[in-house]
Amino acid sequence: MFIDTATLLGDPDKIEEIEKSSARLVTQAIYEFRDTAAQIFSNEPDLPQDIAEDITREALDRLGVSRIDVRLFGKIDYKRARYVFHPSYAARQALFVDSKAEKEQGTSTLQTAQTSMRIRHVRGSKAVDERGNLPLSIETEKGSCVTTTVFVKYEYVNKPRTRLGKITVVALPSGVLQKKYNPSPADTIWRAGRNAPSRGEPFRVRLVFDWLKAKARWRVQTIVPGMPSSPGSFPWDE
């Protein structure tokens, strides 16, 4: 019944299907929770990053996802081994959903542990080609799971008090899709991060939403608290 992971990783179209399905899942969960998220940001005294992580977990738990009873590890907030069912196949997935609370618009900061892509871009007139450390798949006692990473970015302001502006859900491409999304430093979705190599700071990079959206609009979805609700659905940007 389940497609073999090695076969799946050799089929970029199926990887893209799984990532699109996952983007829809996370977007719908956050969309349904958007107004509650705004209330929490306005009233919760915790740090914005802690609030963001709590909101993402609660939104996904409320919506509910299928579950494989194994534990996943990694530097990402929400981790779930789950089943993905498609009319033509079924697959095992390691879904990683990371939360970001940042004031800056249009980008999000990542670590190499959060992507399976090679990170190719230009920094200081020099080409960068850094290996992502997230594997393409993870072996578990219940079978091999293809990895998928989705980011939820909460943009906020804190004058005169903390207020949630908009939420961006971003489906980061798998390393299987490297040639489509980041084949070279000149053809990229990345911008230099706020780390100083001269001081030995860990590598960071910023994902530029508009550059990713130019390659596939559906990979970047924007949710605004208070946006009117059509009957049961989010206005998906295809």
Side-chain angles (χ1 to χ4, degrees):
M1 178 178 182
F2 287 93
I3 190 169
D4 176 71
T5 299
T7 301
L8 183 62
L9 292 175
D11 191 333
D13 289 341
K14 284 187 172 61
I15 293 294
E16 197 123 39
E17 286 176 349
I18 290 172
E19 291 179 348
K20 191 170 188 177
S21 172
S22 301
R24 286 188 181 276
L25 167 72
V26 176
T27 298
Q28 190 65 33
I30 299 298
Y31 174 68
E32 292 184 6
F33 202 67
R34 65 196 184 282
D35 293 333
T36 302
Q39 293 172 9
I40 294 172
F41 255 89
S42 295
N43 296 291
E44 179 62 57
D46 287 347
L47 294 173
Q49 180 61 37
D50 294 335
I51 297 171
E53 293 170 10
D54 289 344
I55 288 171
T56 298
R57 280 192 291 264
E58 186 168 350
L60 285 165
D61 286 344
R62 283 196 182 189
L63 184 66
V65 301
S66 62
R67 181 167 186 162
I68 303 174
D69 191 21
V70 297
R71 181 179 292 277
L72 298 176
F73 301 93
K75 293 183 178 181
I76 294 182
D77 308 327
Y78 181 93
K79 301 177 280 290
R80 176 64 58 85
R82 74 180 193 113
Y83 299 110
V84 176
F85 297 105
H86 184 275
S88 301
Y89 60 86
R92 296 179 178 88
Q93 178 192 47
L95 176 63
F96 295 99
V97 184
D98 201 49
S99 305
K100 308 285 186 180
E102 299 172 322
K103 295 180 182 179
E104 181 178 333
Q105 299 183 11
T107 69
S108 192
T109 300
L110 279 72
Q111 305 173 45
T112 55
Q114 297 173 320
T115 179
S116 60
M117 298 185 75
R118 296 200 68 88
I119 299 167
R120 295 169 174 161
H121 66 104
V122 176
R123 178 171 185 161
S125 301
K126 294 183 179 180
V128 175
D129 189 340
E130 189 81 14
R131 182 175 65 87
N133 291 322
L134 184 70
L136 294 172
S137 63
I138 294 175
E139 299 298 324
T140 78
E141 60 268 30
K142 298 295 180 67
S144 180
C145 300
V146 64
T147 59
T148 302
T149 304
V150 179
F151 290 92
V152 184
K153 181 182 177 181
Y154 300 84
E155 293 181 6
Y156 70 96
V157 296
N158 56 8
K159 292 181 180 181
R161 63 174 182 173
T162 302
R163 179 175 59 83
L164 180 61
K166 67 179 179 181
I167 308 168
T168 307
V169 178
V170 183
L172 188 64
S174 164
V176 171
L177 302 167
Q178 186 81 44
K179 290 182 180 180
K180 177 177 180 179
Y181 289 96
N182 184 205
S184 71
D187 188 354
T188 188
I189 56 177
W190 311 104
R191 180 182 294 164
R194 294 185 186 86
N195 64 297
S198 61
R199 295 201 296 267
E201 293 178 352
F203 181 84
R204 295 286 188 277
V205 70
R206 282 179 288 175
L207 175 67
V208 182
F209 299 157
D210 284 348
W211 295 353
L212 178 58
K213 195 164 187 172
K215 292 177 178 288
R217 292 190 64 83
W218 62 265
R219 285 190 177 273
V220 181
Q221 302 292 327
T222 302
I223 300 167
V224 180
M227 66 191 302
S229 178
S230 58
S233 65
F234 168 77
W236 181 260
D237 189 355
E238 189 64 45

